[in-house]
Amino acid sequence: MKLLLTIVQDADGIKLQKALIENGFRATKLATTGGFLRAGNTTFLIGVDDAQVARVKEIVAKTCQERTQMMAAGPSISSLEDAYMSQPLEVTVGGAIIFVLNVEEFTKL
Ligand code: 2BA
């Protein structure tokens, strides 16, 4: 069994949740925050048999899109950096980040 720790943009969360349910997969949806943008994102915990990993990846790829997001510049450490650092930065986010973890045991009590 594998656990697919899947991080997606909030805008794709509902669509992915619906697609997983429609395809018979169980998942837990968590509200999370990206460390870089410090903006909300959505993390799914999806437990599946090894043979289903590829199918879940397909569903994620189909429902989650790459987008660009503007990032407000942070405070600079010197005045020389001011001109560069005060420009907002364009960052490409997603479609999705997937960590595939081996599950040692799955128990339902
Ligand atoms: P954030 O950390 O908010 O990152 C948002 C996007 O900013 C990233 O998109 C990436 O394009 C860019 N980015 C992140 N760190 C960067 C850096 N040090 N320098 C330049 N650009 C940087 P994605 O790669 O699609 O990641 C989307 C979200 O997935 C991330 O949100 C984070 O919550 C999670 N994530 C990505 N890689 C991860 C990792 N290795 N470990 C844990 N979480 C990760």
Side-chain angles (χ1 to χ4, degrees):
M1 188 181 200
K2 303 280 190 220
L3 180 67
L4 275 65
L5 217 155
T6 305
I7 305 165
V8 306
Q9 293 171 74
D10 284 345
D12 295 323
I14 300 282
K15 218 175 7 160
L16 177 57
Q17 189 176 33
K18 198 166 163 261
L20 288 170
I21 290 168
E22 280 171 4
N23 285 275
F25 293 109
R26 293 179 178 211
T28 297
K29 184 168 162 266
L30 306 171
T32 46
T33 305
F36 189 67
L37 291 177
R38 283 171 262 166
N41 54 25
T42 301
T43 299
F44 286 85
L45 308 180
I46 311 165
V48 294
D49 290 334
D50 290 22
Q52 295 173 317
V53 170
R55 178 67 190 130
V56 173
K57 283 185 182 171
E58 264 176 31
I59 293 168
V60 173
K62 219 167 160 182
T63 49
C64 300
Q65 337 166 0
E66 189 178 272
R67 294 184 186 84
T68 54
Q69 229 166 290
M70 295 311 286
M71 182 191 181
S76 64
I77 50 168
S78 83
S79 57
L80 273 178
E81 288 175 273
D82 279 350
Y84 171 72
M85 290 301 285
S86 61
Q87 299 299 312
L89 221 78
E90 194 176 72
V91 177
T92 304
V93 191
I97 298 290
I98 306 179
F99 295 92
V100 181
L101 311 177
N102 285 318
V103 175
E104 201 168 304
E105 187 185 330
F106 170 79
T107 314
K108 193 175 168 186
L109 299 173

